[in-house]
């Protein structure tokens, strides 16, 4: 953060580079002295040819030119500058103001028209100051956008923890490809944002990005949504309707909660992915579709496949490139960044003068486990901003489950005892695997080795029990 502030401060010190073009040497010298005293770099030219050579060899932020000069005049230089240096701010000055010259200057694209009189220097100083401020804000905004992209990889996803940096690297690696992507992770982790980022950084960015929640439709309705239908295909089909596959042609179709799709629909989807063709309901003709599929689920596909709820062949079709989005509790370093992001958003929309988050409140936010992930944090911050009457988010406006949360200050051990969290951390996956094995063994002992009874004690299906038993060689 300090580095960012320092960089922004450094940007603010940069002064525009000015080119002054006038056949009157006294004017050139006066303006050169004036603007050099204010910290600008200033170059002078006494005719258009000399100015052209400078424009071709240097970059100028501001060009100040007389309209009338021997030979080629300022309007011609303006036209040339718009081709060579279109980003430069162009001020035309004249000692013979007429309506015709003013119109010619404006029509040629001059940013400002100033008359040569006793107020010339003051008018030019004001104009240059305005341009300097405008450039400063543009450069700061550009720097912050680049810095955000550097820190997060993508503008719409907030995070700078190692796990999120890995996600950003993966997005930038796979985005240019057309391979299918399967995004997994708990609800509220931002799977759709990842999918959208892949699309927006791909060659398909200008084509449609269409989303569908597969768990929100019954089987028959999902089929008509995806593949479309012809008039008269079923009751209520009063017109031909294009399906989402055809609507997303050339772009990306994001299929959220695909783990909730019925087995019948899975067969139909597999066929489309295999052949690249869709047949609307009620039609005898197939249509080619060029669509990148990005699917997402919060389910464990290994378990779903083991229990017969998801086709293994479709899984392999979808998961060419798997991306696991971490839960918020697995990237606690991002919580302050996300909290401030949501604070800023809701502070503006609610027009409340809240300046920050109290240390006590931030401590609770960072220690809470966030079972609802980023979505829960977003809702929490919206509530806090709505209720807060002070200058910063306080502990009293946080929900009781968060305000009273003590955090995982201790961890369980095999003997049921507790110990302080190790300084060097823990092997999380190993700990979880050992816990799974202990529960499985305990359930088998309690059930006398009867596996169906053991699965009931663990409140899981018998197929799931078989899956875990095989995993742990029991």
């Amino acid at each position: 953060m300090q580095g960012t502030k320092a960089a922004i401060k450094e940007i603010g010190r940069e002064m525009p580079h000015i080119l002054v073009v006038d056949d009157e040497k006294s004017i050139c010298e006066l303006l050169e002295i004036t603007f050099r005293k204010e910290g600008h770099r200033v170059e002078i030219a006494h005719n258009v040819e000399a100015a052209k050579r400078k424009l071709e060899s240097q970059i100028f932020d501001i060009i100040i030119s007389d309209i009338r000069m021997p030979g080629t005049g300022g309007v011609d230089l303006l036209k040339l500058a718009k081709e060579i240096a279109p980003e430069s701010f162009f001020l035309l000055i004249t000692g013979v103001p007429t309506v015709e010259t003013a119109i010619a200057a404006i029509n040629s694209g001059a940013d400002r028209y100033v008359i040569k009189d006793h107020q010339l220097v003051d008018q030019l100083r004001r104009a240059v100051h305005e341009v300097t401020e405008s450039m400063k804000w543009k450069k700061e905004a550009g720097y912050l956008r680049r810095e955000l992209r550097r820190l997060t990889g993508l503008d719409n996803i907030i995070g700078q923890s190692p796990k999120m940096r890995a996600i950003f690297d993966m997005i930038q690696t796979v985005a240019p490809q057309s391979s299918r992507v399967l995004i997994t992770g708990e609800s509220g982790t931002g799977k759709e944002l990842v999918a959208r980022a892949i699309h927006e950084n791909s060659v398909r960015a200008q084509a449609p990005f269409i989303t569908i929640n597969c768990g929100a439709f019954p089987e028959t309705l999902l089929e008509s949504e995806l593949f479309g239908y012809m008039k008269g295909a079923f009751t209520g089909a009063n017109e031909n309707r294009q399906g989402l596959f055809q609507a997303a042609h050339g772009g990306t179709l994001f299929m959220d909660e695909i783990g909730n799709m019925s087995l019948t629909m899975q067969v139909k989807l597999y066929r489309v992915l295999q052949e690249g063709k869709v047949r609307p309901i009620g039609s005898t003709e197939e249509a080619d579709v060029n669509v990148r599929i990005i699917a997402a689920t919060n389910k464990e596909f290994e378990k779903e496949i083991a229990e017969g709820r998801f086709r293994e062949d479709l899984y392999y079709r979808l998961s060419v490139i798997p991306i696991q989005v971490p839960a918020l509790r697995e990237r606690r370093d991002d919580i302050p960044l996300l909290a401030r992001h949501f604070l800023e958003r809701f502070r503006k929309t609610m027009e409340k003068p809240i300046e920050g988050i109290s240390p006590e409140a931030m401590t609770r936010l960072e220690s809470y486990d966030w079972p609802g992930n980023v979505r829960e944090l977003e809702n929490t911050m919206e509530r806090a901003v709505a209720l807060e009457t002070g200058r910063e988010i306080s502990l009293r406006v946080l929900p009781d489950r968060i305000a009273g949360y003590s955090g995982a200050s201790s961890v369980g051990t095999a003997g049921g005892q507790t110990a302080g969290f190790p300084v060097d951390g823990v092997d999380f996956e190993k700990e979880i695997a050992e816990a799974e094995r202990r529960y499985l063994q305990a359930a088998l002992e309690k059930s006398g080795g009867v596996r169906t009874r053991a699965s009931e004690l663990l409140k899981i299906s018998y197929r799931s029990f078989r899956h875990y038993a095989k995993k742990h060689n029991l």
Side-chain angles (χ1 to χ4, degrees):
M1 183 62 72
Q2 292 298 323
T4 299
K5 289 180 179 178
I8 291 175
K9 192 174 181 181
E10 190 63 32
I11 287 171
R13 293 197 189 103
E14 296 176 5
M15 300 295 278
H17 191 190
I18 300 174
L19 173 63
V20 178
V21 187
D22 200 308
D23 58 317
E24 293 186 48
K25 291 185 178 181
S26 60
I27 293 292
C28 286
E29 290 173 359
L30 174 62
L31 296 180
E32 182 180 16
I33 292 169
T34 299
F35 291 120
R36 280 190 184 278
K37 282 183 178 179
E38 296 184 356
H40 296 277
R41 291 174 295 147
V42 183
E43 300 281 337
I44 60 173
H46 298 302
N47 55 61
V48 172
E49 283 303 315
K52 179 183 177 183
R53 288 193 295 272
K54 289 183 179 292
L55 284 171
E56 289 174 340
S57 61
Q58 302 180 58
I59 296 174
F60 294 94
D61 301 303
I62 301 172
I63 302 169
I64 302 172
S65 175
D66 191 8
I67 289 182
R68 293 192 176 184
M69 290 180 286
T72 309
V75 173
D76 292 317
L77 177 62
L78 170 59
K79 293 176 181 177
L80 178 66
K82 289 300 178 184
E83 295 179 7
I84 298 176
E87 299 298 319
S88 298
F89 190 90
F90 207 105
L91 294 99
L92 277 175
I93 58 177
T94 182
V96 188
T98 65
V99 174
E100 290 76 12
T101 55
I103 292 174
I106 294 170
N107 288 341
S108 298
D111 297 290
R112 193 71 61 88
Y113 180 75
V114 180
I115 298 172
K116 278 185 179 180
D117 57 16
H118 65 283
Q119 296 183 340
L120 174 64
V121 173
D122 289 337
Q123 289 188 69
L124 288 176
R125 288 178 67 185
R126 281 197 297 272
V128 169
H129 177 72
E130 290 172 6
V131 175
T132 302
E133 287 298 302
S134 175
M135 287 178 56
K136 185 181 87 170
W137 288 115
K138 285 181 180 178
K139 286 181 178 179
E140 286 186 12
Y143 170 80
L144 289 172
R145 281 195 296 270
R146 291 192 301 273
E147 185 69 1
L148 181 62
R149 189 169 290 275
R150 182 185 71 80
L151 291 174
T152 67
L154 302 142
D155 293 343
N156 295 326
I157 307 177
I158 307 298
Q160 56 184 352
S161 62
K163 286 196 174 186
M164 289 309 294
R165 285 177 184 271
I167 293 287
F168 302 138
D169 289 342
M170 176 65 83
I171 289 172
Q172 292 177 336
T173 299
V174 306
Q177 317 304 323
S178 291
S179 303
R180 299 184 192 102
V181 179
L182 177 63
I183 305 171
T184 56
E186 297 178 7
S187 295
T189 51
K191 296 186 289 294
E192 183 174 343
L193 284 177
V194 173
R196 191 175 293 276
I198 293 172
H199 171 77
E200 290 178 351
N201 286 270
S202 73
V203 295
R204 299 172 180 263
Q206 302 304 314
F209 176 82
I210 293 179
T211 68
I212 182 170
N213 187 325
C214 300
F217 295 90
E219 181 180 311
T220 53
L221 187 53
L222 179 60
E223 182 179 4
S224 63
E225 283 291 312
L226 289 174
F227 307 141
Y229 54 82
M230 307 301 291
K231 182 178 180 179
F234 51 83
T235 303
N238 299 320
E239 60 184 3
N240 295 343
R241 183 176 175 184
Q242 189 181 59
L244 295 185
F245 268 97
Q246 289 176 289
H249 185 73
T252 302
L253 178 59
F254 175 57
M255 305 182 72
D256 198 7
E257 302 300 345
I258 198 165
N260 293 328
M261 183 179 285
S262 71
L263 287 170
T264 302
M265 274 302 302
Q266 289 176 36
V267 173
K268 295 177 180 179
L269 175 60
Y270 179 85
R271 181 176 174 277
V272 172
L273 299 185
Q274 185 177 39
E275 300 181 5
K277 299 176 184 291
V278 295
R279 179 185 297 167
I281 300 173
S283 174
T284 58
E285 296 182 2
E286 294 182 326
D288 292 328
V289 287
N290 172 20
V291 176
R292 182 180 197 174
I293 299 296
I294 301 179
T297 184
N298 60 2
K299 294 181 179 292
E300 295 180 20
F301 265 134
E302 287 186 3
K303 180 180 177 182
E304 295 297 300
I305 293 169
E307 296 185 357
R309 289 193 293 267
F310 203 86
R311 292 177 61 93
E312 190 171 16
D313 53 359
L314 178 58
Y315 168 73
Y316 289 121
R317 283 279 179 182
L318 293 170
S319 63
V320 177
I321 300 174
I323 297 179
Q324 172 74 34
V325 182
L328 186 54
R329 63 183 173 276
E330 296 172 7
R331 55 181 185 111
R332 293 184 187 275
D333 291 350
D334 292 330
I335 292 175
L337 194 65
L338 285 160
R340 293 189 185 100
H341 168 75
F342 293 132
L343 168 62
E344 185 64 17
R345 183 208 294 177
F346 296 124
R347 180 185 70 82
K348 287 181 178 179
T349 57
M350 297 182 195
E351 298 182 347
K352 303 193 73 170
I354 301 174
E355 298 174 352
I357 303 171
S358 72
E360 296 81 7
M362 184 62 81
T363 298
R364 289 293 192 275
L365 293 176
E366 290 181 283
S367 62
Y368 183 61
D369 274 346
W370 299 106
N373 293 293
V374 179
R375 189 179 297 128
E376 184 183 4
L377 175 59
E378 180 181 9
N379 293 340
T380 297
M381 291 308 299
E382 182 177 9
R383 175 187 188 275
V385 172
L387 296 177
E388 186 56 69
T389 57
R391 304 294 292 184
E392 62 180 14
I393 298 296
S394 59
L395 202 59
R396 66 179 182 80
V397 297
L398 295 180
D400 291 341
R401 69 180 187 281
I402 299 173
Y405 190 77
S406 61
S409 58
S410 62
V411 294
T413 64
Q417 302 298 314
T418 60
F421 195 89
V423 175
D424 296 328
V426 296
D427 186 333
F428 181 74
E429 292 182 355
K430 180 180 178 182
E431 292 289 330
I432 293 299
E434 289 178 355
E436 287 178 355
R437 184 179 180 84
R438 287 197 305 273
Y439 277 114
L440 289 167
Q441 290 176 326
L444 283 169
E445 289 175 4
K446 190 171 183 64
S447 65
V450 179
R451 297 193 166 208
T452 53
R453 175 58 183 153
S455 66
E456 292 173 358
L457 290 172
L458 294 171
K459 301 188 187 306
I460 59 176
S461 69
Y462 179 58
R463 285 194 177 187
S464 292
F465 182 90
R466 287 175 57 193
H467 165 74
Y468 285 112
K470 182 178 180 181
K471 176 181 174 182
H472 295 286
N473 296 317
L474 294 176

